[in-house]
Amino acid sequence: MAEIIAAQKPTFPPGTRHGYHALSHGWLANELFQRIEPRQRTIGEFFKDEVAKKFDIDFHIGLPEALDYRVARLGEPRSKMADYIKDVKTVFRILFNMAESKPGIRLVAAQQPALLKFPLLMNNWDYKHIENPAASGIGTARAQAKLYSILAGGGSYNGMTLISPKTLKLATEQVTSGDDFVLGIFYGGAINPQYTRGGFYIGEEEIGHRVFGSPGFGKQAAFADPKENLSWAFLTNGISKYGAVDEPRVAHLVAAVYECLKDL
C-alpha cells in the first residue's frame, strides 16, 4: 500500500489546496511515523504503549482479536440518497462539480461506491484488525473524551505529560484555507472544513469559539475545547443518514452541554 501511494503523482501542486482523503491518510502518516520513531513502531503500537496503557484509555488502532466480543456491529443507514440532498442548490452544485472534473480525484471520489459502503466494511472482522490510523480506531466514547480532555487541559494528566504545550500549539495550528477540493463535490459548499498541522478538524460554528477534534462518517464526533477546559465525544453504531454534518442529535447535545456551562 505504501509503495502504491508513494508512486502516485500529486493531483495538484503541494500546498496550493487541500482535499479530504479519508483512508489513504492513515497509510501516509504511518509510513512517515515509522521512519522517525527510534524503535520503528507503527502508530498503533506507539499509541498502545505510550498513550492507551499509560493514561488508561480504552482505545485501539487495529483491534486485538481477543477484544472482538466487545465491539458492536454498525447498522446500515436507513435512508435513500435523496435524504442526503437538502435543496436544489446543493444538487446543482454537486452536478456542476462532477461535470467540471476531468478524470481525477474529484470524479473518482464522486464515483467511489466502496467509500459509501465503508461503515459496513467495519463489520468485517479482518478489517477491524488492520492497523490504519485513519479509519480503524475502535474504542469507547469515554475513552475519546478522556484523550481530548488531556489535550483540552494542556497536554498533561495526573503528573504525566502526553504532549508538551509547545507541540500541542503546533499540532493545533491551522494550516489550510479555502474550499476542500474533495468534500465540496459531496456537500455542495454546505461545509468548508479546515484542518490543523496535526490533522485536527477545526470547528466553531455552533459554539462561537475555536475547538478542535474529529467528526466522522455516520456522525461519530469528539472534540476538545481549551477555552472551557472541556472535552466531548459521541459515538453510535446506528450510522446516521446525515453523514458527518447536520446530525441533530449531536447539535442538540452540544448545545445542551454549553447551556449547562452557563450555570457553573
Side-chain angles (χ1 to χ4, degrees):
M1 181 63 73
E3 292 178 356
I4 293 173
I5 295 176
Q8 183 176 343
K9 295 181 179 180
T11 303
F12 43 79
T16 60
R17 61 202 324 176
H18 70 284
Y20 181 63
H21 46 144
L23 304 181
S24 58
H25 172 72
W27 308 120
L28 289 168
N30 195 60
E31 290 299 319
L32 290 172
F33 183 84
Q34 280 193 281
R35 283 162 172 74
I36 63 172
E37 211 283 311
R39 293 164 53 186
Q40 295 186 321
R41 288 176 290 182
T42 63
I43 290 178
E45 292 168 341
F46 181 89
F47 183 88
K48 177 182 177 181
D49 297 339
E50 307 297 338
V51 182
K53 287 184 177 180
K54 288 186 177 180
F55 293 89
D56 191 25
I57 293 175
D58 187 13
F59 195 89
H60 309 270
I61 302 175
L63 184 73
E65 291 187 29
L67 298 180
D68 285 353
Y69 74 97
R70 295 186 56 202
V71 180
R73 289 181 60 82
L74 295 181
E76 187 172 5
R78 297 180 179 178
S79 58
K80 299 178 181 179
M81 183 57 69
D83 292 328
Y84 293 88
I85 309 300
K86 300 186 180 302
D87 53 46
V88 174
K89 181 179 178 181
T90 299
V91 174
F92 278 106
R93 174 68 181 268
I94 293 175
L95 293 176
F96 174 76
N97 284 338
M98 293 178 66
E100 73 168 355
S101 298
K102 298 178 181 179
I105 190 168
R106 275 183 142 176
L107 191 56
V108 170
Q111 297 176 339
Q112 181 53 264
L115 185 58
L116 297 178
K117 296 178 181 178
F118 173 69
L120 299 185
L121 177 63
M122 288 299 294
N123 286 328
N124 183 310
W125 292 109
D126 291 334
Y127 187 85
K128 293 178 193 290
H129 303 148
I130 292 174
E131 184 186 317
N132 181 348
S136 62
I138 298 177
T140 65
R142 186 181 297 275
Q144 290 202 39
K146 183 175 183 179
L147 179 57
Y148 275 106
S149 74
I150 297 173
L151 301 180
S156 296
Y157 176 77
N158 280 351
M160 299 183 293
T161 299
L162 172 63
I163 185 172
S164 70
K166 179 180 179 180
T167 302
L168 181 59
K169 183 178 180 180
L170 285 173
T172 55
E173 175 187 349
Q174 182 174 337
V175 293
T176 64
S177 61
D179 293 336
D180 186 295
F181 189 64
V182 175
L183 288 184
I185 197 170
F186 292 108
Y187 296 110
I191 61 172
N192 183 30
Q194 302 300 329
Y195 301 94
T196 73
R197 191 179 302 278
F200 293 110
Y201 172 86
I202 301 172
E204 60 182 20
E205 297 86 355
E206 301 168 350
I207 297 167
H209 59 268
R210 190 174 181 271
V211 301
F212 62 89
S214 180
F217 191 90
K219 201 46 188 181
Q220 323 298 322
F223 67 79
D225 183 345
K227 180 179 178 180
E228 299 289 353
N229 194 21
L230 172 75
S231 66
W232 187 93
F234 176 86
L235 302 182
T236 174
N237 68 323
I239 300 300
S240 169
K241 69 179 182 180
Y242 295 94
V245 295
D246 298 335
E247 164 56 66
R249 292 174 298 176
V250 171
H252 293 159
L253 288 170
V254 169
V257 168
Y258 279 88
E259 190 65 29
C260 291
L261 290 178
K262 297 177 182 179
D263 298 327
L264 297 180

